[in-house]
């Protein structure tokens, strides 16, 4: 269909229209992949330059494959040229590799004239990635927050603390206890999940009022922590 539209095949010289169409389509599909990457990224390893590069990878791959066409000599030449390129930046998130492969797939599909494959595959994969991210697929997280506080052993009441936990928390798990000042002060760290997220401020205020408890802090734990 597109071959008839531009009146050219691989055996003919490429027209400006075909080249521009390939480049525009590869750019749009790569932009979609980059937008999905930005929307679904989690953690602290986000890189604007990586997102920028995703668009260029798809575009450049389509240009390269379009230029190679069915020429075996050009393919070997391109392979030799790529062999001298070294990428020094390591991917911090394994999922980043999937987006690189997606961008490469877009460029390959568009460059070889498989436009339907490029469009359908990109949309399908983008929807799948977005859905899996929204569902937090693969997580083993059982808690929503990390609670830390200091407890003076001379005045601290474990019963009052537990009563507050039962009133506000759906689940809790002790992560760590550090003894300080020759055992007079204990530094507690808990994983916690609330019955109602709106009650966090009230819980912190009441826990701070418990005799012997100070320095109450709450840290969100939306992502799994790797050790």
């Amino acid at each position: 269909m597109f071959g008839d539209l531009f009146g050219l095949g691989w055996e003919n010289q490429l027209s400006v229209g075909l080249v521009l169409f390939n480049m525009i389509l590869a750019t749009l599909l790569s932009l979609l992949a980059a937008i999905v990457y930005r929307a679904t990224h989690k953690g602290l390893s986000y890189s604007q330059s990586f997102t920028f590069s995703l668009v260029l990878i798809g575009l450049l791959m389509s240009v390269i494959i379009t230029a190679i066409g069915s020429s075996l000599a050009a393919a070997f030449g391109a392979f030799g040229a790529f062999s001298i390129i070294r990428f020094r930046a390591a991917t911090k998130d394994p999922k980043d590799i999937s987006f690189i492969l997606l961008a490469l797939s877009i460029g390959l599909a568009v460059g070889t004239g498989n436009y339907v494959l490029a469009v359908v595959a990109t949309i399908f994969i983008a929807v799948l990635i977005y859905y899996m991210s929204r569902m937090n697929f693969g997580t083993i997280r059982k808690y929503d927050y990390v609670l830390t506080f200091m407890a003076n052993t001379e005045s601290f009441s474990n019963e009052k603390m537990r009563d507050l936990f039962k009133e506000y928390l759906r689940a809790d798990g002790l992560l760590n206890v550090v003894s300080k000042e020759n055992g007079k002060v204990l530094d507690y760290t808990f994983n916690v999940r609330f019955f109602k997220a709106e009650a966090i401020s009230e819980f912190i205020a009441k826990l701070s009022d418990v005799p012997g408890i100070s320095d109450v802090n709450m840290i969100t734990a939306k992502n799994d922590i790797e050790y």
Side-chain angles (χ1 to χ4, degrees), residues 81-99:
F82 282 130
S83 66
I84 65 175
I85 299 177
R86 296 181 180 180
F87 295 94
R88 303 254 180 213
T91 53
K92 298 179 181 179
D93 188 339
K95 192 170 63 175
D96 292 354
I97 300 175
S98 301
F99 280 92

Side-chain angles (χ1 to χ4, degrees), residues 24-222:
I24 292 172
L25 181 59
T27 300
L28 292 176
L29 295 178
S30 298
L31 276 172
L32 176 59
I35 291 172
V36 173
Y37 171 77
R38 185 179 64 178
T40 60
H41 185 274
K42 296 180 180 180
L44 303 175
S45 61
Y46 177 79
S47 171
Q48 181 184 8
S49 61
F50 179 81
T51 309
F52 188 90
S53 299
L54 283 177
V55 180
L56 292 181
I57 288 173
L59 171 60
L60 293 174
M61 181 56 67
S62 71
V63 173
I64 293 168
I65 297 302
T66 302
I68 291 175
S70 58
S71 172
L72 185 61
F76 277 108
F79 178 79
F82 282 130
S83 66
I84 65 175
I85 299 177
R86 296 181 180 180
F87 295 94
R88 303 254 180 213
T91 53
K92 298 179 181 179
D93 188 339
K95 192 170 63 175
D96 292 354
I97 300 175
S98 301
F99 280 92
I100 293 176
L101 291 176
L102 174 58
L104 290 173
S105 300
I106 291 171
L108 285 168
V110 173
T112 54
N114 294 298
Y115 304 116
V116 175
L117 173 63
V119 174
V120 173
T122 302
I123 294 176
F124 180 86
I125 294 171
V127 171
L128 177 63
I129 293 174
Y130 186 77
Y131 174 78
M132 292 173 67
S133 176
R134 294 283 293 182
M135 295 297 294
N136 209 14
F137 177 79
T139 184
I140 57 173
R141 176 172 57 87
K142 299 179 181 179
Y143 303 96
D144 297 319
Y145 298 91
V146 175
L147 170 67
T148 64
F149 60 88
M150 307 290 288
N152 190 313
T153 56
E154 296 179 354
S155 55
F156 168 63
S157 174
N158 188 69
E159 290 75 16
K160 290 184 179 181
M161 181 196 73
R162 277 296 162 189
D163 289 340
L164 275 178
F165 278 22
K166 290 179 181 179
E167 181 181 354
Y168 289 93
L169 302 182
R170 184 186 303 275
D172 67 89
L174 180 62
L175 289 177
N176 190 34
V177 179
V178 178
S179 177
K180 298 181 178 180
E181 300 181 14
N182 296 322
K184 294 181 180 180
V185 177
L186 298 178
D187 187 355
Y188 282 98
T189 303
F190 284 89
N191 262 331
V192 296
R193 169 172 285 184
F194 287 85
F195 288 113
K196 297 180 180 179
E198 304 81 31
I200 294 177
S201 298
E202 183 179 336
F203 170 79
I204 293 176
K206 288 188 176 182
L207 185 61
S208 299
D209 290 337
V210 173
I213 291 182
S214 61
D215 298 330
V216 180
N217 291 289
M218 192 77 67
I219 304 171
T220 184
K222 293 183 179 180

